[in-house]
Amino acid sequence: MNTRAWIVFLDESGVSLLPQIRRTYSPRGRTPLLRHRLNWKRASMAGALGYHATDPDRGARLCFHLKPGSYDTAGLIEVLEQMKVFYRGERVILVWDGLSAHWSRAMRAWVAEQDWLTLERLPAYAPELNPVELLWSSLKKRELANLAGDHLADVADATQQGIHRINTNPRLPWSFLAHTGLTIHPAHPPNLRKGQ
């Protein structure tokens, strides 16, 4: 494994015009009502949280993509093209789950032509190992909680606000990784100091 690469976790999630119902406060005796149009329009989000394998001072990096509908192989290749620009050609080890679009023949053929990208697969049924799952949870508990938008643009705006909140708090992406129990940076041997 190339230790000078970015370790990037990628995951997709969906949002719709149906509100994410969460607990809230209201005056005693007044049950809060959430009025919305019964609308099933959906959008899909792809988030990629990157951590540098040898230099934690470079910080965590978040790449985000939102589109109407759902992702297929072609849509995910578009996300990876955006990631390539985002990481400016630096080496990336991409860690994601076993979704069929992640491992399709077309995806594997596209990845084979990319010298900057290596794929690694998360164990089956282990979403708790992907820090992006915690990013989705954070968005859905804050910005998207009880949001009854009229248009997908309302959901997109709220999502962008959440991504901005997470990007401006450098500790939050690291807390997502810490919550998984995974570490990126190998411990230095006791006889070597950093920088030797």
Side-chain angles (χ1 to χ4, degrees), residues 70-80 96 99-110:
S70 58
Y71 285 105
D72 57 7
T73 298
L76 287 171
I77 288 173
E78 183 182 322
V79 170
L80 295 178
W96 57 7
L99 183 72
S100 59
H102 293 173
W103 301 98
S104 68
R105 182 175 291 148
M107 178 64 76
R108 285 181 284 144
W110 183 84

Side-chain angles (χ1 to χ4, degrees), residues 35-181:
R35 298 186 193 284
H36 64 89
R37 299 172 190 205
L38 191 59
N39 191 321
W40 296 97
K41 285 187 180 175
R42 295 188 55 80
S44 294
M45 310 179 287
L49 269 174
Y51 306 90
H52 199 273
T54 57
D55 189 359
D57 295 332
R58 293 184 78 177
R61 299 190 69 195
L62 171 58
C63 183
F64 178 76
H65 190 267
L66 179 73
K67 73 183 267 336
S70 58
Y71 285 105
D72 57 7
T73 298
L76 287 171
I77 288 173
E78 183 182 322
V79 170
L80 295 178
E81 289 282 3
Q82 179 181 332
M83 251 180 56
K84 181 178 183 178
V85 172
F86 187 74
Y87 282 101
R88 297 182 191 97
E90 290 188 79
R91 298 273 313 139
V92 169
I93 299 169
L94 184 66
V95 183
W96 57 7
D97 58 28
L99 183 72
S100 59
H102 293 173
W103 301 98
S104 68
R105 182 175 291 148
M107 178 64 76
R108 285 181 284 144
W110 183 84
V111 169
E113 297 173 358
Q114 308 303 311
D115 61 351
W116 62 278
L117 184 63
T118 303
L119 299 183
E120 293 292 336
R121 187 175 184 156
L122 283 168
Y125 309 108
E128 69 278 2
L129 294 178
N130 193 334
V132 183
E133 294 285 354
L134 296 154
L135 177 136
W136 301 143
S137 178
S138 179
L139 285 175
K140 290 177 181 183
K141 288 179 181 173
R142 299 256 323 247
E143 286 78 13
L144 298 176
N146 302 319
L147 176 67
D150 290 325
H151 307 284
L152 277 177
D154 300 330
V155 175
D157 290 345
T159 303
Q160 291 291 354
Q161 289 171 6
I163 294 299
H164 178 73
R165 171 181 58 86
I166 292 166
N167 265 334
T168 56
N169 182 345
R171 298 171 79 189
L172 207 48
W174 287 105
S175 73
F176 298 155
L177 181 66
H179 190 78
T180 67

